[in-house]
């Protein structure tokens, strides 16, 4: 029964397709239960972020086709040739390696970025809440969290922090050399927007406005950055003040249209606006990019900015890859050990049953008037024979059949490395 990872990311699929394949936050639990209900799927977890959508499964069979079909049908995607050309599939050790690389930020648009680890932990929590995670995926995700911590401790993968948020601010600095006199309007109040706000504050932004569907949440974020919070329905009144507009929400439809930006530009007397749409699906209609005096970038456009900082982490990434390879083998070793668990349990149960049977007979001997010495001799002799009978019989048969491999394995298993200590 294999482990499966199936999905697409910023390396394999354009933003338009990633939009189609994204899971809305409110549908994750239902989707998890739907995936786990596929006959071939024993356990399931879903990761859906701006840059990737992935499903992880513990399957009952080698063929991953049922999980692939569920993924395509859930999103209304067509099979090959088409969207499935952009999908990657990993099995067993390749799945483990992929998740460890994701957790450590080695598969991110920004090499080594830490944000993905929190997103993985949220995906794990959701799978637990949905009841779709069991021994295999629980161990896999917890292993990934441990390895990510080890990599950040043992390497400089987190040094010189670079993120999508930081890339957006760096791009703003290239357009507005001095941010001290600029006003930034941030839409959303999630982790990405908090990172954007932090980088803007650290780079001396003049004013910040945070717009969010829930005003209370907007206030909580704004309070950390000396910013003002507004509701989303107040956006039209504040767009004209925005020199910098950065948006990252979970909306399934654009919330900023071409008409709204045209109106804002008229009030601004066509002073330029810099807009970064980090959301997937996109928050800003693509047609906004056709307007004069607007610099519109989506999450794919940030790639070139991010590349500039990638070299700073390449050496640390090599060290991280070495650690990951070791930890992949650790996980696969644990998984292989599960094959012995059932045999060990059955062997112990057999020994306990034999012990209980012989002990009961020894008790009856004592009750019938036999001496304790006789009962003990019977117990030791009979129990030894019962425990060794099947093993010695099969070793004898193996020798008759010329099964040298079994005899050598038995020699390794049954002969202790050190002689027994005298008591």
């Amino acid at each position: 029964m294999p482990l499966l990872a199936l999905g697409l990311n910023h390396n394999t699929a354009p933003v338009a397709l990633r939009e189609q394949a994204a899971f809305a936050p409110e549908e994750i639990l239902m989707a998890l239960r739907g995936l786990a209900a596929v006959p071939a799927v024993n356990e399931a977890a879903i990761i859906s972020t701006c840059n990737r959508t992935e499903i992880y499964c513990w399957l009952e069979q080698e063929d991953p086709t049922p999980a692939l079909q569920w993924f395509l049908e859930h999103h209304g995607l067509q099979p090959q040739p088409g969207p499935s050309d952009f999908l990657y599939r990993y099995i067993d050790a390749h799945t483990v390696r992929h998740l460890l690389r994701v957790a450590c930020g080695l598969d991110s648009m920004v090499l080594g970025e830490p944000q993905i680890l929190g997103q993985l932990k949220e995906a794990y929590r959701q799978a637990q809440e949905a009841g779709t995670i069991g021994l295999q995926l629980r161990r896999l995700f917890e292993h990934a969290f441990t390895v990510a911590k080890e990599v950040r401790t043992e390497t400089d993968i987190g040094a010189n922090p670079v993120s999508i948020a930081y890339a957006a601010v760096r791009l703003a600095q290239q357009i507005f050399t001095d941010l001290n006199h600029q006003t930034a309007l941030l839409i959303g109040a999630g982790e990405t927007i908090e990172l954007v706000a932090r980088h803007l504050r650290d780079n001396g932004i003049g004013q910040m406005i945070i717009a969010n569907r829930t005003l209370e949440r907007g206030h909580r974020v704004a309070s950390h950055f000396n910013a003002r919070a507004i509701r989303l329905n107040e956006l039209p009144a504040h767009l004209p003040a925005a020199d910098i507009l950065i948006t990252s929400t979970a909306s399934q439809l654009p919330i900023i249209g071409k008409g709204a930006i045209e109106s804002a530009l008229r009030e601004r007397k066509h002073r330029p606006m810099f807009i970064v749409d980090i959301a997937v699906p996109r928050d800003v209609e693509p047609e906004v990019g056709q307007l004069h005096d607007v610099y519109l970038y989506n999450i794919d456009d940030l790639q070139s900015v991010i590349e500039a900082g990638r070299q700073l982490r390449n050496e640390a990434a090599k060290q991280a890859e070495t650690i990951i390879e070791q930890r992949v083998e650790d996980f696969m070793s644990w998984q292989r050990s599960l094959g012995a668990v059932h045999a060990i349990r059955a062997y112990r149960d057999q020994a306990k049953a034999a012990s209980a049977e012989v002990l009961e007979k020894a008790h009856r001997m004592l009750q019938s008037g036999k001496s304790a010495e006789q009962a003990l001799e019977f117990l030791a002799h009979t129990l030894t024979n019962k425990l060794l009978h099947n093993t010695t019989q099969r070793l004898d048969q193996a020798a008759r059949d010329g099964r040298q491999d079994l005899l050598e394995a038995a020699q390794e298993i049954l002969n202790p490395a050190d002689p027994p200590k005298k008591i």
Side-chain angles (χ1 to χ4, degrees):
M1 295 191 290
L3 283 168
L4 167 72
L6 183 150
L8 46 78
N9 64 19
H10 60 282
N11 289 319
T12 68
V15 65
L17 183 55
R18 299 203 306 273
E19 287 176 337
Q20 280 186 276
F23 290 89
E26 63 273 13
E27 71 168 314
I28 287 287
L29 294 182
M30 186 177 296
L32 280 165
R33 291 170 182 142
L35 175 56
V38 174
V41 176
N42 282 329
E43 302 177 27
I46 294 174
I47 298 169
S48 187
T49 73
C50 294
N51 289 327
R52 74 180 63 248
T53 297
E54 297 176 344
I55 63 173
Y56 289 82
C57 302
W58 173 238
L59 301 176
E60 286 187 359
Q61 60 186 38
E62 295 294 328
D63 184 9
T65 302
L68 170 61
Q69 289 176 337
W70 177 89
F71 185 87
L72 294 174
E73 290 171 5
H74 182 86
H75 295 292
L77 303 174
Q78 298 299 315
Q80 293 181 340
S84 57
D85 294 338
F86 297 95
L87 293 173
Y88 43 79
R89 278 169 274 184
Y90 299 110
I91 297 292
D92 288 335
H94 298 290
T95 294
V96 179
R97 182 178 297 104
H98 177 70
L99 183 61
L100 298 191
R101 296 187 78 255
V102 170
C104 295
L106 300 187
D107 195 56
S108 297
M109 182 179 288
V110 180
L111 182 64
E113 60 92 8
Q115 188 178 358
I116 185 62
L117 184 58
Q119 294 166 331
L120 285 183
K121 289 180 177 179
E122 176 62 13
Y124 177 61
R125 185 198 65 76
Q126 290 170 332
Q128 287 182 309
E129 183 180 344
T132 62
I133 202 164
L135 174 64
Q136 291 287 333
L137 290 186
R138 182 180 301 111
R139 180 66 178 245
L140 176 60
F141 273 78
E142 290 176 353
H143 188 61
F145 303 151
T146 300
V147 174
K149 181 178 180 181
E150 179 184 6
V151 165
R152 294 200 172 276
T153 301
E154 299 296 328
T155 75
D156 290 331
I157 196 68
N160 303 302
V162 179
S163 65
I164 295 293
Y166 185 60
V169 174
R170 285 293 300 272
L171 202 54
Q173 287 176 312
Q174 293 178 21
I175 294 172
F176 304 101
T177 306
D178 184 3
L179 298 183
N180 294 337
H181 303 293
Q182 310 303 321
T183 295
L185 173 56
L186 311 183
I187 305 177
E191 187 175 353
T192 299
I193 287 297
E194 285 195 55
L195 288 170
V196 169
R198 182 173 294 111
H199 288 308
L200 285 170
R201 180 197 61 192
D202 293 346
N203 285 276
I205 190 69
Q207 296 183 61
M208 264 194 290
I209 303 169
I210 296 179
N212 193 54
R213 197 176 306 278
T214 305
L215 189 60
E216 181 183 359
R217 170 66 178 161
H219 275 305
R220 282 203 302 270
V221 175
S223 65
H224 296 300
F225 305 105
N226 193 30
R228 179 183 176 188
I230 63 171
R231 291 187 176 88
L232 281 183
N233 58 13
E234 299 178 71
L235 275 177
H238 293 274
L239 278 175
D243 303 299
I244 299 167
L245 173 63
I246 301 177
T247 180
S248 177
T249 78
S251 174
Q252 296 300 293
L253 296 171
I255 59 176
I256 301 291
K258 183 179 179 182
I261 298 299
E262 284 177 321
S263 297
L265 287 172
R266 282 195 294 270
E267 287 195 47
R268 289 174 60 81
K269 302 186 185 302
H270 293 278
R271 285 182 293 116
M273 290 182 72
F274 169 66
I275 303 174
V276 179
D277 186 355
I278 300 175
V280 176
R282 283 173 281 190
D283 283 338
V284 180
E285 289 182 347
E287 292 77 13
V288 169
Q290 300 169 3
L291 298 174
H292 293 294
D293 305 313
V294 169
Y295 301 89
L296 173 62
Y297 296 84
N298 64 34
I299 198 166
D300 285 351
D301 297 324
L302 297 181
Q303 184 67 47
S304 60
V305 179
I306 290 164
E307 283 296 329
R310 190 178 292 271
Q311 294 304 315
L312 298 174
R313 301 191 179 190
N314 278 346
E315 193 59 40
K318 293 176 184 177
Q319 298 170 16
E321 296 282 10
T322 301
I323 294 172
I324 285 171
E325 286 305 310
Q326 295 168 348
R327 299 302 170 247
V328 168
E329 179 53 34
D330 289 346
F331 183 88
M332 298 310 294
S333 177
W334 167 81
Q335 197 177 61
R336 288 191 296 268
S337 75
L338 295 180
V341 168
H342 300 299
I344 292 170
R345 184 178 293 121
Y347 192 55
R348 286 183 176 275
D349 289 344
Q350 183 184 32
K352 287 178 181 179
S355 176
E357 179 187 348
V358 176
L359 183 60
E360 176 61 27
K361 290 180 180 179
H363 277 303
R364 289 203 299 267
M365 289 177 65
L366 291 173
Q367 291 168 359
S368 68
K370 300 289 185 181
S371 68
E373 183 177 355
Q374 287 176 304
L376 285 173
E377 286 181 357
F378 168 81
L379 179 66
H381 176 76
T382 307
L383 184 57
T384 299
N385 284 341
K386 277 186 171 290
L387 292 178
L388 295 180
H389 176 72
N390 286 339
T391 302
T392 54
Q393 190 177 52
R394 288 173 184 174
L395 284 174
D396 181 68
Q397 187 62 47
R400 293 173 185 274
D401 295 341
R403 293 294 305 276
Q404 189 63 29
D405 56 330
L406 288 181
L407 294 174
E408 289 176 358
Q411 181 77 12
E412 183 176 349
I413 293 170
L414 298 177
N415 286 353
D418 299 314
K421 295 180 181 178
K422 293 183 178 179
I423 298 176

